[in-house]
């Protein structure tokens, strides 16, 4: 079973005049991988997957795979129509990838038994490891601890992206040691690492990704003073990245760096001008080498 650890960046999807900008996606992927991140998650919520057609999602995946090793690429898979979701899964699995990130089916709010059935069907059909995505604020239903523990016994389910908002459940899963626990809450990256979690799937790690990579290493080395200094320097930027609906602040910051255009698909909107100015000031203060101790 694959192990998922370190910093995985929840990749934004660049647009150019409302069309998917595949060259920009490839440049961004290369830039992030060069910083030392563990991998990229394509077409998750940060990637605006819900605003992309299935064909566009596969095109983004193919573009990233042109520049990224398959072992460093995870693909998002979501839906509330089981037949259609399985069909999309089959299309994705024609490619060589590291895994699938799968949230609960949105909008319909199934029972916990229904969630077990949903994830079991997808895991049974998986040819690659599955990462459960527990994010009730988007799907409307949490994956309860008993459900997560039951699913963790499936041979294809390798990890969880934890946005469940339940620290007791997070610690229980880490203590169980059955699956890798990666936080999806960027303000909890240091906490999760110190508790024994394996890493994060992060949106804000688009920015100064080398510092997030260094944070993981600092904790692994037991240098908690350096890790705290690094993390608290990153924290104002992390808060800014989630002060307006994701991924608008991240895209604004990346556009300021000349990596992509500052463009989202409706109904998502660009970050307000005042926030963009605040982001520019924060990024100017947060230099790559600040507070890093080797």
């Amino acid at each position: 079973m694959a192990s998922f650890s370190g910093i995985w960046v929840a990749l934004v999807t660049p647009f150019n005049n409302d069309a998917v900008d595949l060259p920009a996606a490839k440049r961004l992927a290369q830039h992030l991988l060069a910083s030392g991140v563990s991998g990229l998650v394509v077409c998750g919520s940060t990637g605006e997957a819900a605003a992309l057609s299935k064909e566009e999602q596969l095109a983004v995946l193919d573009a990233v795979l042109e520049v990224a090793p398959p072992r460093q690429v995870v693909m998002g898979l979501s839906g509330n129509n089981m037949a259609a979701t399985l069909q999309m899964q089959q299309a994705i699995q024609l490619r060589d990838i590291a895994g699938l990130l799968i949230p609960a089916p949105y909008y319909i709010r199934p029972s916990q038994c229904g969630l077990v059935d949903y994830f079991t069907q997808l895991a049974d059909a998986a040819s690659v490891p599955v990462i459960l995505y527990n994010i009730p604020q988007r799907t409307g239903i949490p994956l309860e601890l008993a459900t997560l523990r039951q699913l963790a016994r499936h041979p294809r389910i390798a990890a969880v992206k934890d946005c469940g908002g339940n620290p007791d459940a997070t610690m229980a899963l880490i203590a169980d040691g059955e699956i890798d626990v990666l936080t999806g809450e960027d303000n909890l990256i240091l906490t999760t690492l110190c508790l024994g979690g394996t890493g994060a799937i992060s949106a804000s790690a688009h920015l100064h990704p080398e510092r997030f990579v260094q944070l993981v290493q600092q904790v692994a080395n037991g240098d908690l003073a350096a890790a705290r200094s690094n993390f608290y320097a990153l924290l104002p930027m992390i808060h800014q990245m989630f002060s307006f609906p994701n991924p608008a602040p991240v895209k604004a910051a990346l556009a300021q760096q000349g990596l992509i255009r500052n463009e989202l698909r409706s109904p998502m909107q660009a970050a307000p001008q005042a926030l963009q100015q605040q982001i520019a000031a924060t990024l100017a203060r947060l230099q790559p080498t600040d507070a890093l101790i080797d």
Side-chain angles (χ1 to χ4, degrees), residues 30-253:
Q30 289 175 309
H31 164 75
L32 292 168
L33 291 173
S35 73
V37 300
S38 296
L40 308 171
V41 177
V42 178
C43 290
S45 51
T46 299
E48 296 176 78
L52 304 178
S53 69
K54 300 303 183 186
E55 292 75 19
E56 286 175 323
Q57 291 183 38
L58 293 172
V60 175
L61 176 59
D62 288 338
V64 172
L65 285 171
E66 287 182 26
V67 298
R71 61 181 172 79
Q72 290 183 281
V73 180
V74 163
M75 180 64 173
L77 172 67
S78 63
N80 49 21
N81 178 307
M82 179 57 78
T85 306
L86 285 166
Q87 185 177 28
M88 181 63 172
Q89 181 180 10
Q90 291 173 356
I92 292 169
Q93 291 178 167
L94 294 175
R95 286 87 173 156
D96 187 11
I97 58 174
L100 293 165
L101 176 68
I102 309 178
Y106 53 87
Y107 185 71
I108 56 177
R109 300 180 65 196
S111 67
Q112 295 298 303
C113 290
L115 290 172
V116 170
D117 180 66
Y118 178 82
F119 284 108
T120 299
Q121 286 193 56
L122 293 171
D124 285 346
S127 60
V128 295
V130 168
I131 304 171
L132 306 174
Y133 188 4
N134 189 19
I135 183 161
Q137 61 264 47
R138 288 188 180 273
T139 64
I141 190 74
L143 288 165
E144 297 176 358
L145 177 57
T147 302
L148 289 163
R149 281 174 159 161
Q150 183 175 349
L151 291 169
R153 295 196 291 268
H154 194 288
R156 278 294 181 191
I157 294 177
V160 59
K161 178 181 178 181
D162 179 27
C163 298
N166 184 341
D168 288 335
T170 300
M171 289 186 286
L173 288 172
I174 293 171
D176 288 348
E178 294 294 325
I179 57 176
D180 296 329
V181 178
L182 303 105
T183 187
E185 301 287 0
D186 291 13
N187 63 332
L188 296 179
I189 293 176
L190 178 58
T191 301
T192 301
L193 290 170
C194 289
L195 287 171
T198 59
I201 297 176
S202 166
S204 56
H206 279 91
L207 311 171
H208 294 290
E210 72 289 339
R211 296 185 62 127
F212 287 84
V213 172
Q214 184 74 7
L215 177 65
V216 174
Q217 191 58 53
Q218 287 164 336
V219 175
N221 291 342
D223 193 348
L224 296 186
R228 283 193 294 268
S229 177
N230 188 11
F231 182 72
Y232 282 120
L234 288 167
L235 197 56
M237 181 271 289
I238 290 172
H239 286 154
Q240 281 184 335
M241 291 305 103
F242 297 96
S243 63
F244 194 77
N246 179 48
V250 173
K251 282 192 162 183

